[in-house]
């Protein structure tokens, strides 16, 4: 479900849904649903239903999220990968919210669910560390995480590739699409897919969403920059037990192209509640060339229209705006510390 907020009113509408069996049928014309979900007036979201094994794989992974977050600081520090700018392994307090403050509300674990070692080319590893460095698994502290993470990530990528096929089929009705330029082809050969297991720490005090649904919520406004994002519904737990969403405001909010807000928990009922979820960012390869025409509307201040960048270059520019690490040599309290923007 999605809700559209206008002033104090909330209008709900059902997200476009495609069943897994429909998605598998390459002869089926899903153009109408693709247009309604992803077209100019769509919310940019399509729900895929009845996926075999998905429910089991989702629960198996999301139940590990609180366990990962409760590992000792020593173990979690061993899982950090500063050289990747925290884009592999454990990350907490490295991401900036919309307000510019560090986000300490959630912790993340990043890994490529398809390739443990995307490349051995040292020059590429140095140039694109957030994509080219190897995975960093908690083999000793939480060994079951690797299998669960990869199983769900691979399933979601398979679903994404099927959806991309139907998107290409829809686009091809209006213009010729070469296989090498199709979204399905680009994602199929990419080495950049990245999974993110998220854990939202329980709030101990009541907090209210700001009127603009800003960073007071568990997850502030942000823009994904890959081709497709696969997202599971969240799992809510209190004292280790799974519970229903703690209030009616819980859910995914979307800001539409017309700047309207389309409908995570807050208020007294959410105190002590943990939330876990998993996102798979299906992305082009780091060397995939992207063209930015005059109709390109996002990030115009950073990406001039008419320019051409590789996906690696493009993502570095964007992610550098939202993440940083402190660079210091043991500064004393009150000392001025230089801040360097980084990816995460």
């Amino acid at each position: 479900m999605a809700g559209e907020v206008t002033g104090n009113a909330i209008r709900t509408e059902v997200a476009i849904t495609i069943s897994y069996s429909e998605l598998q049928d390459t002869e089926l014309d899903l153009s109408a649903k693709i247009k309604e979900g992803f077209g100019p007036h769509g919310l940019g979201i399509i729900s895929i239903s009845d996926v075999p094994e998905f429910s089991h794989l989702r629960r198996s992974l999301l139940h590990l999220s609180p366990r990962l977050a409760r590992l000792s600081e020593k173990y979690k520090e061993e899982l950090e990968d500063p050289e990747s700018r925290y884009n592999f392994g454990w990350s907490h307090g490295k991401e900036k919210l919309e307000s510019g403050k560090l986000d300490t509300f959630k912790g993340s674990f990043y890994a490529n669910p398809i390739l443990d070692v995307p490349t051995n080319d040292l020059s590429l590893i140095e140039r694109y560390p957030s994509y080219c460095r190897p995975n960093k698994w908690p083999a000793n502290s939480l060994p079951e995480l690797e299998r669960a993470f990869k199983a769900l990530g691979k399933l979601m990528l398979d679903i994404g590739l099927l959806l991309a096929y139907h998107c290409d089929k829809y686009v091809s009705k209006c213009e010729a699409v070469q296989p090498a330029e199709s979204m399905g082809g680009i994602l199929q050969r990419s080495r950049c897919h990245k999974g993110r297991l998220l854990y939202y720490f329980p709030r101990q005090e009541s907090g209210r969403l700001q009127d603009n649904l800003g960073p007071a919520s568990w997850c502030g406004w942000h823009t994904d920059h890959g081709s497709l994002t696969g997202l599971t519904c969240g799992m809510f737990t209190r004292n280790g037990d799974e519970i229903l969403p703690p209030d009616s405001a819980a859910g995914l909010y979307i800001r539409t192209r017309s700047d309207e807000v389309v409908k995570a928990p807050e208020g007294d009922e959410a105190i002590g509640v943990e939330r876990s979820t998993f996102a798979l960012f299906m992305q082009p390869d780091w060397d995939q060339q992207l063209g930015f025409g005059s109709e390109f509307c996002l990030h115009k201040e950073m990406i001039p229209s008419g320019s051409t960048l590789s996906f690696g270059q493009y993502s570095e520019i964007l992610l550098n705006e939202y993440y940083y690490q402190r660079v210091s040599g043991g500064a004393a309290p009150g000392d001025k510390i230089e801040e360097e923007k980084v990816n995460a």
Side-chain angles (χ1 to χ4, degrees):
M1 301 291 291
E4 185 174 296
V5 180
T6 304
N8 294 322
I10 298 178
R11 179 170 65 84
T12 61
E13 54 186 77
V14 179
I16 300 303
T17 299
I18 299 175
S19 71
Y20 184 66
S21 59
E22 289 178 307
L23 208 62
Q24 286 183 302
D25 188 347
T26 58
E27 300 301 319
L28 196 62
D29 187 355
L30 298 176
S31 296
K33 288 187 175 183
I34 297 295
K35 180 180 180 179
E36 192 172 354
F38 288 163
H41 305 293
L43 296 179
I45 182 171
I46 291 178
S47 175
I48 308 302
S49 65
D50 305 317
V51 180
E53 291 297 307
F54 176 78
S55 179
H56 166 69
L57 295 179
R58 169 188 167 271
R59 290 175 58 86
S60 295
L61 179 60
L62 297 192
H63 273 300
L64 297 176
S65 180
R67 291 176 58 187
L68 176 65
R70 294 191 189 105
L71 291 177
S72 69
E73 292 304 313
K74 173 180 177 293
Y75 281 127
K76 285 189 289 191
E77 286 178 6
E78 291 175 354
L79 291 174
E80 291 182 342
D81 189 17
E83 292 185 36
S84 72
R85 306 183 219 183
Y86 300 94
N87 223 341
F88 285 96
W90 175 255
S91 174
H92 180 221
K94 305 300 187 296
E95 178 180 1
K96 288 192 297 184
L97 291 168
E98 187 181 34
S99 64
K101 296 180 179 180
L102 289 180
D103 180 6
T104 58
F105 297 150
K106 64 178 177 287
S108 302
F109 183 85
Y110 294 91
N112 184 328
I114 311 303
L115 296 171
D116 276 319
V117 182
T119 181
N120 290 310
D121 188 323
L122 295 180
S123 64
L124 286 173
I125 294 172
E126 182 177 356
R127 185 175 185 182
Y128 303 121
S130 57
Y131 296 126
C132 296
R133 286 180 59 79
N135 285 331
K136 198 163 188 175
W137 299 107
N140 296 319
S141 53
L142 196 61
E144 55 266 57
L145 178 65
E146 179 179 355
R147 176 177 293 183
F149 194 106
K150 288 180 175 179
L152 182 58
K154 289 177 179 178
L155 176 61
M156 291 173 67
L157 177 60
D158 288 343
I159 296 169
L161 291 174
L162 289 172
L163 183 58
Y165 169 84
H166 287 282
C167 289
D168 291 330
K169 190 174 180 179
Y170 165 65
V171 171
S172 67
K173 289 186 173 184
C174 301
E175 58 183 89
V177 179
Q178 299 300 320
E181 299 173 349
S182 68
M183 180 162 62
I186 288 172
L187 294 181
Q188 182 73 57
R189 62 177 179 268
S190 175
R191 296 161 288 179
C192 276
H193 305 306
K194 183 66 66 69
R196 183 182 188 182
L197 178 63
L198 295 118
Y199 172 79
Y200 294 81
F201 293 92
R203 297 293 183 87
Q204 301 305 321
E205 300 178 358
S206 176
R208 297 295 175 188
L209 287 174
Q210 297 179 354
D211 291 340
N212 64 351
L213 298 176
S217 68
W218 259 343
C219 183
W221 289 114
H222 63 281
T223 302
D224 293 345
H225 58 272
S227 300
L228 289 173
T229 298
L231 183 67
T232 71
C233 56
M235 176 181 289
F236 299 87
T237 55
R238 179 186 278 128
N239 300 323
D241 297 322
E242 187 174 350
I243 62 172
L244 295 174
D247 72 41
S248 59
L252 175 68
Y253 288 83
I254 300 167
R255 191 182 295 279
T256 68
R257 292 179 176 91
S258 57
D259 208 34
E260 295 175 304
V261 175
V262 181
K263 174 182 186 220
E266 58 87 33
D268 296 335
E269 298 85 354
I271 295 176
V273 174
E274 308 162 288
R275 182 162 76 95
S276 303
T277 190
F278 177 77
L280 178 66
F281 304 108
M282 291 166 264
Q283 307 171 136
D285 203 70
W286 54 76
D287 60 4
Q288 178 69 44
Q289 293 298 304
L290 307 176
F292 301 90
S294 58
E295 74 281 1
F296 180 70
C297 58
L298 291 174
H299 314 298
K300 282 188 173 181
E301 72 281 5
M302 295 179 284
I303 313 293
S305 62
S307 62
T308 300
L309 299 171
S310 70
F311 176 73
Q313 294 170 322
Y314 170 59
S315 58
E316 291 275 321
I317 291 171
L318 297 187
L319 292 173
N320 280 343
E321 289 296 309
Y322 300 106
Y323 299 85
Y324 72 81
Q325 69 178 12
R326 290 174 178 252
V327 180
S328 67
D335 286 354
K336 182 178 180 181
I337 298 175
E338 179 185 1
E339 295 178 351
E340 178 186 358
K341 293 180 180 179
V342 300
N343 291 341

